[in-house]
Amino acid sequence: MKFKRIFLIGFMCSGKSTVGKELAKSLSWKFCDLDEEVQKGEGMSIKEIFELKGEDYFRKRELEVLKLLVLEDNAVISTGGGLGANKEALELMKRHGLVVWLDVSFDAFLQRCKDAQERPLLKKSLEELKKLYQERKKIYSQAHAHIDTREEPDKIAQRIIQILQDERR
């Protein structure tokens, strides 16, 4: 396969971790959750990082961890919703692997995330969340591939594998 890494980007609760685990299993590749890597390195949750060190600090750490993960071969890397909307990070991912945007509708996002109290950005108003969603979609749309997340995670993983196979030709 041409790509040695797959980066999954998308808004909160789009299924990046769930699909990523399924995809890594199907490919017999390593799965890396970038948010989990940041949390391990900091010794605290994302919510705590936001509260104690601020969002800017978290975004900086996220990019630092990404710069390490782009060196991993045969890896599926699930990113946080903000990282895929960072133009610098997106270009870095595109240079080092296949970038797949898992597109979740705003209504599906609200439904999936309604009980996720550990997500700091969910403290924003509905209007602020809609604006953030629209802004991020503009950047996500620059990914190599775009997949709607209405299907089951295993079907989405198979669609990504098909994209990989098509790239080989």
Side-chain angles (χ1 to χ4, degrees):
M1 289 184 200
K2 179 179 171 187
F3 294 106
K4 294 182 179 180
R5 284 157 225 98
I6 301 170
F7 298 94
L8 301 178
I9 67 170
F11 205 65
M12 292 176 273
C13 300
S14 61
K16 298 177 299 285
S17 295
T18 304
V19 170
K21 289 174 188 168
E22 184 71 34
L23 181 58
K25 185 175 136 191
S26 295
L27 292 169
S28 298
W29 283 13
K30 177 170 41 173
F31 173 72
C32 302
D33 184 307
L34 203 133
D35 282 348
E36 286 180 14
E37 295 298 320
V38 171
Q39 290 176 94
K40 275 189 236 170
E42 291 295 312
M44 61 181 86
S45 70
I46 292 172
K47 182 180 178 183
E48 291 169 323
I49 297 168
F50 266 68
E51 289 171 357
L52 298 172
K53 298 183 177 185
E55 183 176 356
D56 288 343
Y57 176 84
F58 173 75
R59 299 295 174 205
K60 182 179 159 212
R61 287 291 297 130
E62 221 179 12
L63 191 55
E64 289 169 359
V65 171
L66 176 64
K67 288 176 180 176
L68 296 174
L69 291 179
V70 298
L71 305 174
E72 294 284 336
D73 283 346
N74 300 328
V76 175
I77 301 157
S78 167
T79 66
L83 191 66
N86 173 322
K87 289 180 184 182
E88 178 186 355
L90 182 60
E91 288 307 312
L92 181 65
M93 289 184 271
K94 286 171 74 174
R95 282 194 308 272
H96 290 275
L98 175 68
V99 180
V100 180
W101 169 27
L102 298 184
D103 188 6
V104 63
S105 73
F106 190 75
D107 289 338
F109 147 71
L110 289 176
Q111 185 62 36
R112 292 177 186 183
C113 276
K114 68 179 184 248
D115 299 322
Q117 296 173 4
E118 75 282 358
R119 294 177 183 271
L121 293 180
L122 291 180
K123 293 179 181 174
K124 292 181 179 286
S125 71
L126 189 60
E127 201 54 47
E128 289 173 306
L129 284 171
K130 278 184 187 174
K131 184 178 179 208
L132 182 65
Y133 175 82
Q134 291 302 329
E135 288 170 358
R136 287 184 175 181
K137 279 183 73 158
K138 291 174 191 169
I139 300 169
Y140 296 154
S141 69
Q142 296 170 33
H144 293 117
H146 173 199
I147 296 180
D148 188 291
T149 59
R150 283 182 277 196
E151 293 183 296
E152 292 300 312
D154 62 322
K155 298 260 191 280
I156 295 169
Q158 290 308 309
R159 289 187 60 199
I160 296 169
I161 290 168
Q162 186 62 53
I163 292 167
L164 276 179
Q165 290 170 344
D166 290 347
E167 284 296 322
R168 275 195 288 173
R169 295 182 189 134

